[in-house]
Amino acid sequence: MMKSLPLLCLFTTLPGFANSSFIGVDYFHSDIEISDESANTGMAAFRLGTSIYKQIAIEGQYISGNQTDNIYNMEFDLENSKAAFILLQSYAVNGFSLDVSLGYASTKMTVSGPENTFNGTDEYNGFAWGVSLYQEIPSFKNARVKLGYQSLYNDSDLSITGISLGFNYHF
C-alpha cells in the first residue's frame, strides 16, 4: 500500500490541473518514403487529449485509412497508427497558437507485390514528433482549425510522415 501511495497521489492531483480537454478529427495525407521513392495515402485521424499542467497536454491519436499507393510495383497500405504524445503548447496570439508534440507511435503497414518481393504486414514502432498551427474560429468559441506535420517513424530505410488538416473542439 505504501509503495503505491505516491502514484495514487499523482493521478488524483492531475485532474485538478486540467483546465481543458479536446477532441479532434483530421484528414492526414501520409508520405511513406523508401529509397528516395514515395507512396502517398489519405487517412482519417482521431485525437483526444487533456491539459495536465498549464501549457502541457497529453494526447492519444488513432489514424486509420483504406487507400494504397505503389512504389516499385509494390502496393503500400498504411493500415493504422496509434500514438501517444506530450504536447508543449503556446499561448494564443491573435487567435493563433502552436503545439510541438513528442511521443511514441506504432504504425501498421501492409505491403503486397510480385512473388519475389516482400509481402506481408509489418509494424513500425518508435519516437514520433510533430508541429501544429491552430487558428481559433471567431464564431465558435471552443473550436480551432489545425494544420500540422508529423513524423510517425524514421530510420535509414523507411520514413513515415504526413501533413494534416483538421478541426479541434475544446470542452
Side-chain angles (χ1 to χ4, degrees):
M1 177 68 178
M2 292 304 280
K3 291 180 184 178
S4 62
L5 186 59
L7 189 60
L8 178 64
C9 291
L10 174 68
F11 285 113
T12 57
T13 57
L14 280 179
F17 290 117
N19 56 10
S20 73
S21 295
F22 63 89
I23 187 165
V25 177
D26 296 347
Y27 170 76
F28 186 80
H29 183 79
S30 68
D31 180 41
I32 305 163
E33 191 170 312
I34 299 173
S35 304
D36 296 329
E37 295 288 328
S38 64
N40 299 293
T41 61
M43 308 175 78
F46 305 97
R47 296 174 289 102
L48 182 63
T50 188
S51 295
I52 57 173
Y53 183 75
K54 295 187 182 184
Q55 298 304 110
I56 300 173
I58 55 174
E59 176 184 274
Q61 175 180 275
Y62 180 76
I63 300 174
S64 179
N66 198 15
Q67 296 180 349
T68 61
D69 200 1
N70 295 317
I71 301 176
Y72 302 125
N73 293 326
M74 297 187 312
E75 286 189 4
F76 288 81
D77 180 14
L78 192 61
E79 291 187 20
N80 65 52
S81 179
K82 298 169 223 129
F85 293 104
I86 292 179
L87 302 176
L88 306 173
Q89 304 170 318
S90 72
Y91 290 102
V93 176
N94 296 328
F96 288 94
S97 60
L98 182 77
D99 284 356
V100 174
S101 55
L102 305 170
Y104 182 85
S106 175
T107 305
K108 187 176 179 182
M109 185 167 47
T110 300
V111 179
S112 57
E115 288 184 29
N116 57 349
T117 62
F118 174 77
N119 286 288
T121 302
D122 232 346
E123 197 162 316
Y124 300 94
N125 303 305
F127 175 70
W129 64 274
V131 176
S132 298
L133 178 66
Y134 295 89
Q135 168 63 51
E136 295 175 352
I137 301 173
S139 35
F140 298 105
K141 182 180 178 183
N142 296 328
R144 295 184 182 128
V145 175
K146 173 192 172 200
L147 176 64
Y149 172 83
Q150 280 189 329
S151 174
L152 298 174
Y153 184 80
N154 193 6
D155 69 12
S156 60
D157 299 324
L158 176 69
S159 172
I160 303 171
T161 60
I163 295 173
S164 62
L165 179 62
F167 174 81
N168 270 15
Y169 181 77
H170 290 253
F171 50 94

